[in-house]
Amino acid sequence: MDTLALEATQPKKAQNGAPVPGTSTPAKRKPAKKIKKAVVFFEVEILDAKTKDKLCFLDKYCDSFLVFHVFVSDPQWYPARQSIRLDPKGKSLKDEDVLQYLPVGTTATFYFRDLGAQISWVTVFLTEYAGPLLIYLMFYFRVPFIYASKYDFTTSKHWVVHLACMCHSFHYVKRLLETLFVHRFSHGTMPLRNIFKNCTYYWGFAAWMAYYINHPLYTPPIYGEQQIRLALIVFLFCQIGNFSIHIALRNLRPPGSKTRKIPYPTKNPFTWIFLLVSCPNYTYELGSWLGFTLMTQCLPVAAFTLVGFIQMTVWAKGKHRSYLKEFRDYPTLRSPILPFIL
């Protein structure tokens, strides 16, 4: 349409902006009325998962309410220790699940299970990691009542003992700092009883390792400096790799979010292992302790590495299954913890 035609279709106006008599003004369209969405209300009953006794009945719950709002109102059962389920033996529902999207009718039945006293993940991690750091240093400085009194506060003549102390301390200081500034937890709490189990594992093994590595009769690795230097390279390489993976996983989850995404390699070469492994943080963790075992040539360290590998394999397989179940386009080439093997 040219300029003249465009002007002809518009009403003529005087200089003051008012329409010129004899010209038509297009009628204004009335805004469309918004159609209100019908709100569905739910009746929610909560039963005890063990006894099937009715704990409470909630009337007129809006369909957009989250499972987070469906909790038993009782001071002894604060939200963190409550598990709400559709089936007594089923999995816990997520806090962000919406009522209208759950397979329930307008009268919904949920089952309640008490998870027991809870404690924050941060507190657990700080406790279980600070213990090995302090315990190892007690053996390193040979405080009284550990070895014979003539060895109190003496130092080892083998430089590998001092190197092992630095590596062990570095590892747990790194873990403490990651807990405070890097990790983002999908769950805020865990059962209180777990802190005793975790601390027994970490603290006990730390004392067992430290006792032999710092013992006055300790002997260095059989292949000497070459073995120690190779072990140090493996240890540091895997520590950097482990930290790189933790940063990559952190960047996948915005602050305060529980969003889960498929982790992919970044520009950091240490993350390229994501091409082959679902949980490379465990792969690097295993490598670090293999390096420490090679460095110290100590049986308790080897035992700790083996037990840790078994536990991390269980965790890695669980996460791998979760990825496959949640994401249809999850890379099939990946293994849980060891490329092409496990």
Side-chain angles (χ1 to χ4, degrees):
M1 183 183 294
D2 56 20
T3 305
L4 293 176
L6 179 62
E7 290 178 353
T9 61
Q10 298 180 358
K12 296 181 180 180
K13 296 184 180 180
Q15 293 182 355
N16 59 2
V20 177
T23 62
S24 61
T25 303
K28 294 183 179 180
R29 292 184 179 180
K30 295 182 180 180
K33 293 183 179 180
K34 295 183 179 179
I35 301 175
K36 294 184 178 181
K37 181 183 176 182
V39 179
V40 179
F41 290 95
F42 284 76
E43 293 179 346
V44 178
E45 64 174 357
I46 301 180
L47 308 181
D48 189 291
K50 294 182 178 179
T51 64
K52 306 300 187 297
D53 294 336
K54 182 181 291 188
L55 299 178
C56 64
F57 183 82
L58 309 173
D59 190 18
K60 291 186 178 180
Y61 254 60
C62 177
D63 57 359
S64 61
F65 266 48
L66 306 178
V67 169
F68 176 77
H69 300 101
V70 185
F71 283 113
V72 178
S73 180
D74 192 302
Q76 67 171 331
W77 293 326
Y78 46 89
R81 68 180 292 171
Q82 297 187 36
S83 171
I84 305 297
R85 313 171 183 201
L86 290 175
D87 184 85
K89 297 181 180 180
K91 293 184 178 180
S92 299
L93 296 172
K94 298 178 181 179
D95 292 348
E96 60 270 20
D97 285 339
V98 183
L99 288 181
Q100 64 175 331
Y101 299 135
L102 295 175
V104 295
T106 54
T107 301
T109 301
F110 293 98
Y111 295 90
F112 162 84
R113 183 177 291 274
D114 181 15
L115 298 177
Q118 300 288 300
I119 187 172
S120 72
W121 278 88
V122 173
T123 302
V124 173
F125 277 13
L126 293 179
T127 305
E128 67 186 32
Y129 296 156
L133 178 64
L134 299 176
I135 290 172
Y136 194 100
L137 291 175
M138 291 174 59
F139 285 89
Y140 174 75
F141 290 111
R142 295 176 179 173
V143 298
F145 308 110
I146 295 180
Y147 304 112
S149 58
K150 64 179 180 179
Y151 297 114
D152 291 351
F153 298 110
T154 59
T155 57
S156 175
K157 62 181 179 179
H158 305 297
W159 70 279
V160 66
V161 173
H162 308 296
L163 179 62
C165 180
M166 288 187 286
C167 290
H168 189 275
S169 299
F170 173 81
H171 175 75
Y172 281 103
V173 168
K174 167 183 164 293
R175 283 195 170 190
L176 290 169
L177 293 176
E178 287 176 339
T179 300
L180 292 173
F181 304 109
V182 177
H183 293 320
R184 288 174 178 163
F185 302 100
S186 57
H187 299 285
T189 62
M190 67 187 301
L192 179 62
R193 62 182 178 272
N194 286 7
I195 193 172
F196 302 104
K197 178 182 65 177
N198 292 8
C199 287
T200 299
Y201 169 74
Y202 282 104
W203 295 18
F205 266 113
W208 190 25
M209 290 188 294
Y211 177 82
Y212 285 98
I213 296 174
N214 297 286
H215 198 282
L217 301 181
Y218 170 79
T219 54
I222 188 172
Y223 293 107
E225 292 188 5
Q226 290 184 346
Q227 180 175 337
I228 297 171
R229 287 172 180 168
L230 174 62
L232 178 61
I233 293 173
V234 173
F235 177 83
L236 293 177
F237 178 88
C238 291
Q239 286 289 286
I240 297 172
N242 180 264
F243 176 74
S244 300
I245 298 301
H246 286 163
I247 292 296
L249 293 175
R250 178 184 186 272
N251 293 336
L252 285 179
R253 179 175 293 164
S257 170
K258 295 183 180 180
T259 304
R260 283 170 56 89
K261 300 178 182 178
I262 300 177
Y264 287 104
T266 65
K267 295 180 180 179
N268 184 343
F270 286 96
T271 66
W272 294 352
I273 193 174
F274 268 126
L275 294 171
L276 302 175
V277 174
S278 293
C279 304
N281 51 322
Y282 296 147
T283 309
Y284 282 124
E285 182 77 7
L286 173 63
S288 295
W289 286 108
L290 286 175
F292 196 71
T293 302
L294 183 66
M295 179 189 301
T296 58
Q297 198 172 293
C298 185
L299 182 60
V301 180
F304 178 71
T305 303
L306 177 61
V307 174
F309 171 61
I310 294 173
Q311 180 60 72
M312 288 187 291
T313 299
V314 173
W315 291 336
K317 285 185 174 181
K319 291 187 176 182
H320 184 73
R321 285 193 297 267
S322 297
Y323 282 137
L324 291 174
K325 184 178 180 180
E326 186 173 355
F327 304 105
R328 294 182 179 179
D329 57 341
Y330 190 74
T332 57
L333 185 62
R334 296 186 187 182
S335 300
I337 187 169
L338 297 179
F340 308 113
I341 299 175
L342 186 63

